[in-house]
Amino acid sequence: MHAVAVTQSLPITDPDVFVDVDLPVPSPGPLDLLVEIEAISLNPIDVKLRRKAGTPDEPLILGFDAAGVVRAVGERVSDFQVGDVVWFSGQSNRPGSYAQYTLVDSRIAARRPASLSAAEAAAMPLTSITAWEGLHDHLRIGAHDSLLMIGGAGGVGSMVIQLARLATDGDVVATSSREASRAWCRDMGATAVIDHRNDLAQELHEVGVNGVETVFSAYTVGREAELAQLMRPFGRLVMIDGTDSFDMTAFKPKSLSVTSESMFARPIFGTADVAEQGRILARVADLVDEGRLRTTVAHQLQGLTVDNIVEGTALVESGRMVGKIVVTA
């Protein structure tokens, strides 16, 4: 099978940053699906893994989000059969989706929305799972809670806004700094959009929001005191950006809670509820087909080629994308 791989960590401008490789088609394990890829999307985690890959012993196949067709199933798989159209976001300790075929644990896959094309579907799994786990497992968002999404125009932010609007009748405020990204946040359903370059508490006050119960943050580093100021007592913060330090001093007076979200935790550590990710994707598929959620595709490239992976990755690295970049097979 054809795949696009990393053989050494290089900047995106290097002509050898990605290479074409031919690999054997993998055989499914007992719980696996062998999926023929129809479309994938690119994520910031792909960039992080490439940058720290060094010189891997074997070609590194990146990619998590995918939509495709089941071509073989493992001996213990009972919920899927050959020919099913599925979507999923894989796990970081297995070869990824920048390939003609990939394996995925059947428990973290689901049948994709009937109303979406493969390209539209491929944009959603990783961000939907991240948003869902953050909102429901960590923030435990209530029916009347207000939410601040820091970084609202990205892939995760786009899904957080949509899912939060379904979970609460409270304010769902997003942060953004450019007019294009502000418009995107409003289109996703944000009740207000504020500028994260300014004082967030003051920005909230100006749109008529007097503090929030919950904060979902993609850009947390250095904002501890600022976030504590705008959060209501016993409020909750979930962050998806990594940080080597977090100052809890300002969080103590209000009894604020802080946690982190990684959608890879369940499959990597084999938790007892690993199949919850498949159930999340099945629920998201229903919401899409009911017209209550929409895809977040903003840019689409035709053909799983080195050139397209480079072009799409450069857009991700620019930090100026709204929504998601999809590459079709």
Side-chain angles (χ1 to χ4, degrees):
M1 69 173 187
H2 170 253
V4 176
V6 171
T7 56
Q8 54 185 321
S9 294
L10 295 168
I12 195 61
T13 53
D14 192 290
D16 295 320
V17 60
F18 290 103
V19 297
D20 290 305
V21 294
D22 288 316
L23 300 171
V25 176
S27 298
L31 289 170
D32 287 340
L33 307 176
L34 174 67
V35 178
E36 183 176 5
I37 298 296
E38 293 181 290
I40 65 170
S41 74
L42 311 184
N43 289 286
I45 185 63
D46 303 349
V47 174
K48 294 176 184 177
L49 292 176
R50 188 194 88 239
R51 287 175 172 171
K52 70 177 185 180
T55 306
D57 294 334
E58 301 289 338
L60 174 63
I61 311 301
L62 297 171
F64 298 100
D65 283 328
V69 181
V70 176
R71 295 306 184 198
V73 301
E75 59 188 22
R76 292 173 55 193
V77 174
S78 59
D79 295 335
F80 297 92
Q81 60 186 4
V82 172
D84 283 345
V85 289
V86 296
W87 65 345
F88 57 89
S89 186
Q91 56 197 81
S92 56
N93 57 351
R94 301 188 75 172
S97 57
Y98 292 11
Q100 187 178 358
Y101 296 92
T102 194
L103 295 176
V104 63
D105 186 323
S106 60
R107 296 171 295 178
I108 64 173
R111 289 169 181 82
R112 69 181 190 241
S115 58
L116 296 186
S117 67
E120 292 168 328
M124 298 181 68
L126 184 148
T127 56
S128 295
I129 295 170
T130 300
W132 190 287
E133 290 182 347
L135 288 170
H136 297 289
D137 294 351
H138 300 304
L139 292 179
R140 304 181 307 283
I141 190 167
H144 307 297
D145 284 346
S146 53
L147 171 88
L148 174 63
M149 177 66 227
I150 301 178
V156 172
S158 300
M159 290 308 306
V160 169
I161 293 168
Q162 293 188 74
L163 288 170
R165 289 300 307 274
L166 297 179
T168 179
D169 59 13
D171 294 299
V172 176
V173 183
T175 75
S176 182
S177 59
R178 295 178 295 117
E179 184 49 44
S181 53
R182 293 169 69 87
W184 177 271
C185 292
R186 288 190 289 266
D187 198 35
M188 290 294 110
T191 58
V193 184
I194 64 176
D195 193 333
H196 50 242
R197 297 172 300 184
N198 300 330
D199 180 87
L200 293 177
Q202 180 61 33
E203 288 273 306
L204 282 176
H205 177 73
E206 290 179 2
V207 296
V209 179
N210 183 28
V212 296
E213 285 84 13
T214 61
V215 177
F216 201 124
S217 178
Y219 303 99
T220 318
V221 177
R223 310 201 83 147
E224 296 94 334
E226 187 178 13
L227 293 174
Q229 179 185 358
L230 61 85
M231 293 171 68
R232 294 176 181 167
F234 300 98
R236 287 92 65 199
L237 162 70
V238 64
M239 53 185 173
I240 58 172
D241 55 331
T243 174
D244 58 5
S245 64
F246 191 93
D247 185 359
M248 287 289 295
T249 305
F251 279 62
K252 184 174 177 60
K254 291 183 178 178
S255 292
L256 303 174
S257 301
V258 181
T259 188
S260 58
E261 156 62 14
S262 171
M263 56 79 60
F264 299 116
R266 279 177 163 126
I268 287 179
F269 294 100
T271 60
D273 65 345
V274 65
E276 181 63 16
Q277 291 201 337
R279 290 190 285 269
I280 290 170
L281 286 179
R283 179 61 179 141
V284 170
D286 288 341
L287 291 169
V288 170
D289 285 339
E290 292 166 7
R292 303 175 71 193
L293 289 178
R294 54 180 289 188
T295 183
T296 54
V297 175
H299 193 79
Q300 184 173 328
L301 300 168
Q302 297 284 341
L304 186 59
T305 65
V306 165
D307 287 346
N308 282 339
I309 295 296
V310 169
E311 180 181 343
T313 302
L315 288 170
V316 173
E317 292 189 14
S318 75
R320 298 180 65 81
M321 274 295 301
V322 298
K324 295 295 295 294
I325 300 164
V326 169
V327 180
T328 56

